[in-house]
Amino acid sequence: MENKRATREAYGKALVELGAEYHNLIVMDADLSGSTKSGEFAKVYPDRFFNVGIAEQNLYGIAAGLALSGKVVCASTFAIFATGRAFEIIRNSIGYTGANVKVCATHAGITVGEDGASHQTFEDIALMRTIPGMTVVNPCDGVSAEKLIRQVVAMDGPAYVRLGRAAVPDFYSDNDELELGKGKVLRPGRDLTIIASGIMVAEAMKAALVLQEESVDARVIDLHTIKPLDEELIIKAAKETGRIVTAEEHSIIGGLGSAVSELLSRECPVKIAMVGQQDTFGESGQPEELKAKYGMDASAIVLAAKYVY
C-alpha cells in the first residue's frame, strides 16, 4: 500500500501500451488531455489522437462515428462534462448503436477538491448504468485501473470507466487476477460485508481494521464493476454475513448502493447502510477534509457498520 498514484495516471500509461497492440485504437479528448492523461498517448501516436476542443457533445458524436467505422475509441474528459453535458449523445449515438466507444472520464467525485461543486460529479454512475448495454467500471487503484482498462478495450461495445484525480494506494499487485463483472474479496469476514468501489475501497480497508479492534469481523469486497453486477458474490456475502454496507464516492441515489439494494431486495433482503454523498452538492476544499465533512471516509463506514450491526 506504499505505492500511490491516481487512476488517471494508470489510464495514461495503459493507453500507450494498448496503442502498440491495437492499431485501430483512437484516443480523443476535449482539451483536457494533460489532466486526463490521454496526452501520453498523443505523444507516442499523434496520428491517432484527436483533440476536439471544449466541445464534449462533438467529442462523443465523433467517437461514435469512428467506432462504427471499425475503430476502438477511448474518449476522455472530466466526468461532469462527459456524463452531464454529453449524456444524450452517449445514450443515442453510443449506447443505442452499441458503438465500441470507451468513455474514460476522470476527476469524478468529491476528491476533485478545490475545483468545487460545479466539477464534483456524484451522478455519473447513476446516469451511465441506466443506458442499456453500457458496462460501468470504477477501479480502486492504479493496478486495477490498468488491468480493467485493458479488458474494457478488448471487449466489444460501450463502456464507462470512472477515474480519479487524487493519488490512491495500490492494493493489487501485477500478479493479481481481475475480471470485468467479477468483484474481488480483499478481506474475509463473517460479521458484515463492506462493498466498496473506487477510492472508497481504501477507506473500507481502514474501517475494517477499526472494526476488528471492536471485535467486529468485516469482509471487504472491491466491486470495481458496477454493471454488470456480480450478483453471485453479493448474494453470497449477504447470506453469509447478514449485513451489508456500501461505500462509494457518488450519490447514494442511483449508484453502487442502489445497485446492490435493487439486487438484494429481490434475492436476499438484509439490513443495508449506504455510505456516499447524501443528496447534496459539494464545495471547494481539500479532498481529505471534504471526504470527512460529507461522510465518505473510514469513520463514516464504521458508523454505518455499527448501524447495521
Side-chain angles (χ1 to χ4, degrees):
M1 285 180 53
E2 292 181 359
N3 185 44
K4 295 183 71 173
R5 57 176 167 157
T7 51
R8 62 186 172 120
E9 293 174 353
Y11 170 59
K13 178 176 179 289
L15 284 179
V16 173
E17 295 172 355
L18 288 164
E21 300 171 29
Y22 292 83
H23 299 292
N24 65 335
L25 176 64
I26 301 293
V27 175
M28 303 181 66
D29 208 291
D31 212 33
L32 287 168
S33 58
S35 296
T36 66
K37 301 303 178 183
S38 68
E40 299 303 307
F41 183 92
K43 294 174 185 176
V44 184
Y45 305 104
D47 293 341
R48 288 192 273 150
F49 176 82
F50 298 95
N51 177 11
V52 304
I54 306 172
E56 291 81 8
Q57 293 168 323
N58 285 346
L59 170 68
Y60 292 107
I62 296 168
L66 288 167
L68 294 171
S69 300
K71 306 297 184 182
V72 180
V73 185
C74 289
S76 297
T77 183
F78 288 2
I80 187 67
F81 305 133
T83 62
R85 185 171 294 166
F87 175 78
E88 185 266 332
I89 306 300
I90 293 173
R91 178 193 185 274
N92 286 336
S93 297
I94 296 174
Y96 182 59
T97 65
N100 205 8
V101 176
K102 322 305 175 181
V103 180
C104 299
T106 70
H107 292 66
I110 200 74
T111 49
V112 174
E114 294 86 348
D115 287 357
S118 63
H119 284 48
Q120 294 161 351
T121 178
F122 306 112
E123 311 85 10
D124 54 316
I125 291 172
L127 287 166
M128 291 296 101
R129 65 184 284 260
T130 63
I131 298 176
M134 179 71 73
T135 295
V136 180
V137 184
N138 188 20
C140 75
D141 68 358
V143 175
S144 62
E146 286 189 41
K147 289 178 179 290
L148 293 168
I149 286 164
R150 282 185 160 276
Q151 294 178 42
V152 163
V153 169
M155 64 168 264
D156 185 34
Y160 177 66
V161 183
R162 187 187 217 236
L163 303 164
R165 176 186 190 179
V168 291
D170 278 342
F171 287 102
Y172 293 107
S173 71
D174 291 336
N175 296 324
D176 287 325
E177 293 186 4
L178 287 165
E179 183 181 348
L180 278 177
K182 298 294 181 182
K184 192 83 168 179
V185 177
L186 293 180
R187 188 183 190 278
R190 66 180 182 276
D191 294 330
L192 61 89
T193 301
I194 304 169
I195 301 175
S197 67
I199 68 155
M200 295 303 290
V201 171
E203 300 299 327
M205 293 294 280
K206 293 177 189 174
L209 293 176
V210 174
L211 290 166
Q212 185 176 29
E213 294 176 358
E214 301 182 19
S215 300
V216 177
D217 189 20
R219 183 179 306 184
V220 177
I221 293 175
D222 170 20
L223 204 69
H224 49 71
T225 307
I226 298 171
K227 186 184 177 187
L229 205 61
D230 190 343
E231 297 188 355
E232 182 180 353
L233 182 65
I234 295 168
I235 293 170
K236 182 174 186 288
K239 287 181 176 179
E240 291 178 353
T241 68
R243 305 170 183 90
I244 300 290
V245 174
T246 62
E248 58 193 309
E249 188 194 11
H250 182 274
S251 173
I252 59 168
I253 301 169
L256 170 67
S258 290
V260 171
S261 297
E262 289 159 14
L263 169 66
L264 294 181
S265 66
R266 183 178 73 244
E267 299 293 340
C268 183
V270 296
K271 197 167 186 178
I272 299 176
M274 299 182 196
V275 173
Q277 193 76 2
Q278 301 290 319
D279 196 24
T280 66
F281 290 101
E283 63 183 288
S284 180
Q286 293 294 320
E288 292 303 313
E289 293 178 357
L290 293 171
K291 283 164 61 181
K293 177 173 180 177
Y294 289 96
M296 285 175 281
D297 62 1
S299 296
I301 296 173
V302 170
L303 286 175
K306 290 179 178 178
Y307 167 77
V308 299
Y309 195 69

